[in-house]
Amino acid sequence: MVSDEPQPLVALASAVQRPVAEVRRAVQRLVADYDGEDGGVRRGFELREVGGGWRIYVRPEHDELVRDFVLTQSPTRLSQAALETLAVIAYKQPISRGQVAAIRAVNVDSVVRTLVGRGLIEEVATDPETGAVLYGTTALMLTHLGINSLDELPPISPLLAGVDEVADVL
């Protein structure tokens, strides 16, 4: 569970200081136990031999559930560009990519794709005049921020110098 790579029997035997044949039998018993053989409970994970070693995998029937969990619990941090883009969308939604790009003065296409991929923003409408896709934040973004609604976002104006000029842009 703690290794990123499948572990060969020799490495496992070395780690537990037991003969390879004994570790092979133990691994086979674990495989049978995890599969629910002999009347046991079939686990949501399996011990699988791949790439010359053994590794624990989620069972295929649980892939979607685990994928969704991992995506919502992703410990990776957002880049500065992603945070800035997310802030613009949170305060100005619904807003198009072009409008976000105009505010940030940089191309935001890849950042918007990243935020959509992480489930933090979503397509919420289409601009009737231009046909541009408009984006808004998701409930997942609120959860990550620990707030219940966008009304709980701090006001922008106290954070900015020259608020009157900046407020016109935002």
Side-chain angles (χ1 to χ4, degrees), residues 138-153:
T138 64
L140 178 61
M141 193 234 22
L142 296 175
T143 301
H144 281 303
L145 289 179
I147 60 177
N148 291 311
S149 76
L150 295 172
D151 295 334
E152 295 179 39
L153 287 173

Side-chain angles (χ1 to χ4, degrees), residues 11 26 32-34 59 74 76 83 85 104 139 152:
D33 180 45
Y34 297 162
R59 292 205 185 269
S74 178
T76 57
L83 287 172
T85 301
R104 291 202 54 237
E152 295 179 39

